Amino acid sequence: MIDLYYWTTTNGHKITIFLEEAGLPYTIIPINISQGEQFSTDFLTISPNNKIPAIVDRDPLDKEKPISIFESGAILLYLAEKTKKFIPTDIRERAEVLEWLFWQVAGLGPMAGQNHHFSHYASEVISYAINRYVKETARLYAVLDKRLAGREFIAGKYSIADMACYPWIVPHEKQQQNLGDFPHLKRWFESMTQRPAVQRAYAKAKEINIEPTVNEKSKRILFGQDSKTVREMKGL
């Protein structure tokens, strides 16, 4: 059984997609980040970076004590290796999956996240920042579009690379991107959207939360952290 500490965000969706695709039994433990639940002592023992998602695997392969893991990319890799699903055994094919998994966690996610922040949530309009991150998001979309030319999935076969990237393309309009400008990416995105496991994952999200995570009240919680915040947190 997997305990999934989760909220309805792009990174949260990655893990529910995997769990639905793999058919692993799991329990969702909602962590409402808009209300500061990510700072609870119990959660910080699992996720010291006070971010979702995180998991606790109560049935690890070594049959020893439960294993807790934070960071969405690390979780995807752990679950793929545990189940031997959605990651190739061939070393070259595996390397491709890992390249694109890390491309997402190091590039697409952070850049699109800054796009969201400065375009929609910043307390002041900073044109340079908006232009910088909207353009960089477009560049990354173009990289992925080129990669998908002639390929059904990012690394050839369906993998954790696709699961990692898809939730960050879902809010393309919010990111000021037109999928019509990226035909290969658009084809892949539409194919991913039709997958039953993806649909189940997003349906579960609606059961947990349909309210915007970021509002005027939650901005102080989500965007007001600094080194003092970390030092004062218990449970690290």
Side-chain angles (χ1 to χ4, degrees), residues 4-116:
L4 171 60
Y5 293 78
Y6 166 89
W7 198 241
T8 53
T9 68
T10 45
N11 287 329
H13 297 318
K14 297 177 189 177
I15 312 306
T16 50
I17 290 173
F18 183 99
L19 293 168
E20 290 294 330
E21 291 280 13
L24 278 176
Y26 67 102
T27 299
I28 289 179
I29 302 171
I31 301 294
N32 190 334
I33 61 175
S34 66
Q35 296 182 10
E37 293 177 3
Q38 67 272 35
F39 301 113
S40 70
T41 300
D42 288 346
F43 182 63
L44 287 171
T45 62
I46 297 166
S47 182
N49 195 35
N50 62 271
K51 305 289 184 183
I52 63 92
I55 66 167
V56 174
D57 182 0
R58 301 199 175 277
D59 185 28
L61 292 177
D62 63 7
K63 303 302 180 184
E64 300 291 336
K65 65 181 181 179
I67 296 175
S68 64
I69 303 170
F70 70 102
E71 289 296 321
S72 60
I75 295 169
L76 286 174
L77 183 55
Y78 173 85
L79 292 174
E81 291 179 335
K82 173 185 172 72
T83 61
K84 296 180 173 58
K85 294 181 177 180
F86 309 117
I87 189 166
T89 56
D90 177 86
I91 59 172
R92 289 170 177 78
E93 293 176 356
R94 178 185 172 87
E96 286 190 59
V97 170
L98 294 182
E99 284 177 330
W100 289 96
L101 173 64
F102 283 93
W103 176 85
Q104 186 280 305
V105 297
L108 179 62
M111 295 300 103
Q114 294 299 325
N115 178 329
H116 296 172

